[in-house]
């Protein structure tokens, strides 16, 4: 099937959101398949997904992991699954509806029809489009992205965004076994890895709405990894200059 599309959603204790999220993604007019990667949720998230697989044969997949192994490792397992299964467009999003499933076609359009290699659902490309966050968290997120821009030179306004679409070629080119971060810094590292290889990245404006059900997974340790890890990531890149994408694929 040409242009196969897979949405990857890592979960931990998302029983309050998972039913609605599965139905929202798989009911879109554009056909997206869905992979849930659950890190041993004690609240029964994985079991709920298993029950939902019957109504969506060959469209809803589940990977169960033994415990909380980190956001980055979950996505890396999801990427391996997507590449092995022959998907052409691979998406990342959260389970809590902070990312609106109705925006998935916008990200797809940027890659499928506008010629970009990666699309980012951006909170900051047209101002600050965040709903229900306390001002302290808005400022932390906004200035974290400014800091990433300053250190790395990436022309991306929402460097920490976790709502993305990749063309298959991006994930085939980036050496995924060399990705270091496991928390939210993973999102920065993947963008940086694509950008320094010359891939075209498009920021698509979205409205980010904070979760209304379930518990946030953000903590100060995750934030510190993002802040301090970015500097080391940039430093490593100066000594390990990757080949430009055009050098790899030819003219």
């Amino acid at each position: 099937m040409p242009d196969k599309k897979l949405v990857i959603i890592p979960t931990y204790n998302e029983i309050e959101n998972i039913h609605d999220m599965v139905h929202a993604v798989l009911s879109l007019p554009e056909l997206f398949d869905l992979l849930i990667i659950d890190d041993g949720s004690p609240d029964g998230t994985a079991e709920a997904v298993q029950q939902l697989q019957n109504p969506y044969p060959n469209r809803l997949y589940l990977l169960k992991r033994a415990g909380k192994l980190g956001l980055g490792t979950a996505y890396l397992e999801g990427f391996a699954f997507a590449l092995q299964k022959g998907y052409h467009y691979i998406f990342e999003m959260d389970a809590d509806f902070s990312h609106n499933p109705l925006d998935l076609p916008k990200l797809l359009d940027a890659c499928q029809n506008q010629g970009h290699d990666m699309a980012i659902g951006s909170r900051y490309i047209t101002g600050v489009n965040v709903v229900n966050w306390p001002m302290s968290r808005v400022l932390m997120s906004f200035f974290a992205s400014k800091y990433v821009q300053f250190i790395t030179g990436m022309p991306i306004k929402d460097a920490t965004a976790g709502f993305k679409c990749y063309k298959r070629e991006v994930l085939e080119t980036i050496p995924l076994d060399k990705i270091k971060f496991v928390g939210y810094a993973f999102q920065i590292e993947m963008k940086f890895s694509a950008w320094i290889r010359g891939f075209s990245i498009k920021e698509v404006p979205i409205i980010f709405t904070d979760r209304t059900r379930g518990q946030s997974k953000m903590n100060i340790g995750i934030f510190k990894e993002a802040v301090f890890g970015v500097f080391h990531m940039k430093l490593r890149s100066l000594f390990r200059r990757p080949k430009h994408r055009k050098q790899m694929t030819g003219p």
Side-chain angles (χ1 to χ4, degrees):
M1 181 177 171
D3 295 342
K4 290 173 61 180
K5 300 168 286 292
L6 181 69
V7 178
I8 302 171
I9 300 180
T11 56
Y12 183 77
N13 283 350
E14 292 290 354
I15 192 64
E16 295 172 278
N17 295 301
I18 197 63
H19 290 86
D20 290 344
M21 178 55 73
V22 167
H23 292 311
V25 172
L26 297 181
S27 298
L28 290 168
E30 184 83 42
L31 287 181
F32 294 87
D33 292 346
L34 178 57
L35 170 64
I36 304 296
I37 303 176
D38 187 72
D39 273 6
S41 297
D43 70 349
T45 299
E47 290 74 18
V49 174
Q50 286 178 308
Q51 293 173 8
L52 289 165
Q53 286 181 304
N54 286 334
Y56 298 106
N58 302 314
R59 292 191 61 204
L60 176 59
Y61 302 94
L62 172 67
L63 291 180
K64 294 197 291 184
R65 308 202 305 171
K68 294 184 73 173
L69 303 176
L71 183 77
T73 63
Y75 276 125
L76 291 175
E77 287 192 39
F79 296 159
F81 177 95
L83 295 176
Q84 194 271 327
K85 296 291 184 181
Y87 285 95
H88 301 86
Y89 299 97
I90 299 97
F91 298 77
E92 296 180 15
M93 71 181 295
D94 293 343
D96 60 6
F97 284 92
S98 55
H99 303 147
N100 189 339
L102 295 177
D103 288 328
L104 285 167
K106 298 178 188 177
L107 300 185
L108 176 64
D109 180 67
C111 292
Q112 190 175 50
N113 301 319
Q114 299 178 33
H116 299 286
D117 302 302
M118 178 192 288
I120 300 168
S122 177
R123 297 164 288 189
Y124 307 128
I125 193 66
T126 57
V128 178
N129 294 320
V130 176
V131 177
N132 292 339
W133 261 8
M135 184 55 65
S136 60
R137 188 166 177 187
V138 172
L139 291 173
M140 182 177 72
S141 173
F142 180 79
F143 284 108
S145 283
K146 289 293 185 184
Y147 167 78
V148 172
Q149 276 188 291
F150 176 75
I151 296 295
T152 65
M154 281 195 300
I156 295 174
K157 292 186 180 297
D158 195 351
T160 61
F163 193 18
K164 303 204 291 286
C165 173
Y166 302 89
K167 278 186 177 176
R168 178 185 182 89
E169 180 189 359
V170 177
L171 299 181
E172 289 178 325
T173 302
I174 293 173
L176 297 175
D177 60 329
K178 299 293 196 298
I179 297 295
K180 299 291 186 183
F181 297 123
V182 297
Y184 280 83
F186 168 84
Q187 306 292 8
I188 302 169
E189 188 173 11
M190 287 298 296
K191 295 180 188 73
F192 184 71
S193 298
W195 177 68
I196 61 175
R197 287 171 173 81
F199 286 106
S200 173
I201 302 174
K202 168 77 170 181
E203 287 190 82
V204 177
I206 64 163
I207 295 175
F208 180 97
T209 304
D210 196 22
R211 67 163 66 235
T212 58
R213 294 176 293 185
Q215 293 290 318
S216 171
K217 312 305 187 294
M218 177 62 74
N219 58 52
I220 193 64
I222 289 171
F223 181 70
K224 284 181 178 178
E225 181 196 49
V227 170
F228 295 111
V230 166
F231 181 78
H232 294 293
M233 179 186 72
K234 175 64 176 179
L235 201 60
R236 288 199 310 270
S237 75
L238 298 176
F239 296 98
R240 300 180 186 175
R241 207 65 185 163
K243 291 182 180 179
H244 193 276
R245 173 199 179 193
K246 290 183 179 178
Q247 293 176 307
M248 295 176 171
T249 59

